Amino acid sequence: MIKDTHCWIMRADAGFHPGHGWDFSASGTYQGDIVTFYSIIKEYVSVNARISKRLGKITLSLDGRDLLDRKKVVKVLSEDFSDSWEEESRMNRRLILLGFKWNF
């Protein structure tokens, strides 16, 4: 049950295609704090980026996912609100992919 929260989820995507086979794109996501009856989930921000170059029938790409890779923090409150603790977890979701595509 969500008690009192101002949870914002925002997403943005942008791309740029300058020509000559080049493509650039980036996306980002922001999630605000979520307050439930006994827990608080802290805000989280993620950023993804991609660059690609077309060379005839071959396309090379470099893709970065969750480049910020921030830790997730959850604060848990006791039933009588006299005690609290925080749990931090690193999801290790940062990923760099090198891509190769051949169109025949």
Side-chain angles (χ1 to χ4, degrees), residues 7-20:
C7 175
W8 289 87
I9 297 177
M10 292 184 274
R11 292 188 177 99
D13 292 320
F16 180 59
H17 309 286
H20 304 289

Side-chain angles (χ1 to χ4, degrees), residues 35-77:
V35 180
T36 62
F37 198 63
Y38 292 114
S39 66
I40 301 169
I41 301 171
K42 300 289 184 170
E43 69 182 6
Y44 190 78
V45 178
S46 69
V47 174
N48 305 318
R50 178 180 174 87
I51 182 171
S52 65
K53 171 69 173 152
R54 191 177 60 250
L55 303 164
K57 293 184 176 186
I58 297 172
T59 303
L60 299 173
S61 63
L62 184 63
D63 195 2
R65 297 183 187 165
D66 204 0
L67 295 173
L68 298 179
D69 192 28
R70 296 176 54 182
K71 62 186 172 194
K72 282 213 166 200
V73 179
V74 177
K75 184 175 183 178
V76 181
L77 306 169

Side-chain angles (χ1 to χ4, degrees), residues 22-34:
W22 287 98
D23 288 323
F24 302 95
S25 63
S27 65
T29 303
Y30 168 81
Q31 176 181 324
D33 294 342
I34 299 173

Side-chain angles (χ1 to χ4, degrees), residues 77-92:
L77 306 169
S78 65
E79 189 174 346
D80 61 356
F81 300 106
S82 64
D83 196 12
S84 67
W85 64 92
E86 283 190 3
E87 297 174 2
E88 295 180 357
S89 58
R90 290 214 175 262
M91 308 304 278
N92 294 324

